[in-house]
Amino acid sequence: MLRTMLLPIAALALAANQSAAPTIADVAFMAGEWGATDADGWTIEHWSQPAGGTMMGYAMSGDDSVTFREFLRIAPDAEGTLALVVTGVDLTPVAFTLTETAPNRVTFEAPEHDYPQKISYMRDGDVMVATISMADGSNPSTWEYRRR
């Protein structure tokens, strides 16, 4: 009888550990246009609504003219894991694999990349915070965006 009772409990525990892989819906909170302005100039980051399992984005900053720009894509990689692919001014794409998700929070990592190795986004209402850093969290740079 005890064995009969333990089998369903073991099956539930196994199912809980095999939670579904994150999907584009888990990062949809990023959609929209976000911006910040300070003494150094302005920064804009724009993310499309999810479509076909993908989100497209761009980031740019400047003062009187654009001084920085990059193109962004979140989509499943060859193994089906969500990845953030960043293509900077030199046109070399860098893939950051999704490593953590929580409601309105996501982290992507590329430990082999020089800098950054980690990119995180967290949204609270009309504020989204983007942080880049080394894999261990050192050397962080953070932007606090407001919905535009």
Side-chain angles (χ1 to χ4, degrees):
M1 171 129 170
L2 180 60
R3 183 176 175 169
T4 308
M5 291 173 50
L6 290 178
L7 286 175
I9 293 170
L12 286 173
L14 182 61
N17 287 334
Q18 294 176 343
S19 60
T23 67
I24 201 71
D26 294 306
V27 297
F29 70 89
M30 296 167 55
E33 184 161 298
W34 305 89
T37 303
D38 60 23
D40 295 327
W42 51 266
T43 302
I44 295 171
E45 190 160 320
H46 178 90
W47 284 98
S48 71
Q49 292 292 326
T54 299
M55 288 176 70
M56 299 297 294
Y58 65 85
M60 61 184 188
S61 59
D63 41 41
D64 292 337
S65 63
V66 175
T67 57
F68 172 83
R69 67 186 169 283
E70 63 188 5
F71 298 98
L72 311 158
R73 179 182 79 239
I74 301 174
D77 62 15
E79 289 79 40
T81 303
L82 280 182
L84 165 62
V85 178
V86 179
T87 304
V89 215
D90 67 356
L91 300 179
T92 303
V94 178
F96 293 80
T97 302
L98 187 142
T99 57
E100 292 181 49
T101 61
N104 295 324
R105 175 172 280 188
V106 66
T107 300
F108 299 91
E109 295 185 45
E112 69 287 348
H113 190 247
D114 55 359
Y115 184 85
Q117 295 176 334
K118 183 187 283 189
I119 301 174
S120 299
Y121 290 92
M122 188 221 31
R123 180 174 170 193
D124 184 9
D126 285 338
V127 175
M128 186 159 66
V129 177
T131 302
I132 62 173
S133 68
M134 298 302 288
D136 64 3
S138 63
N139 200 19
S141 291
T142 299
W143 293 265
E144 184 174 302
Y145 298 125
R146 303 252 176 237
R147 182 177 288 283
R148 294 184 147 214

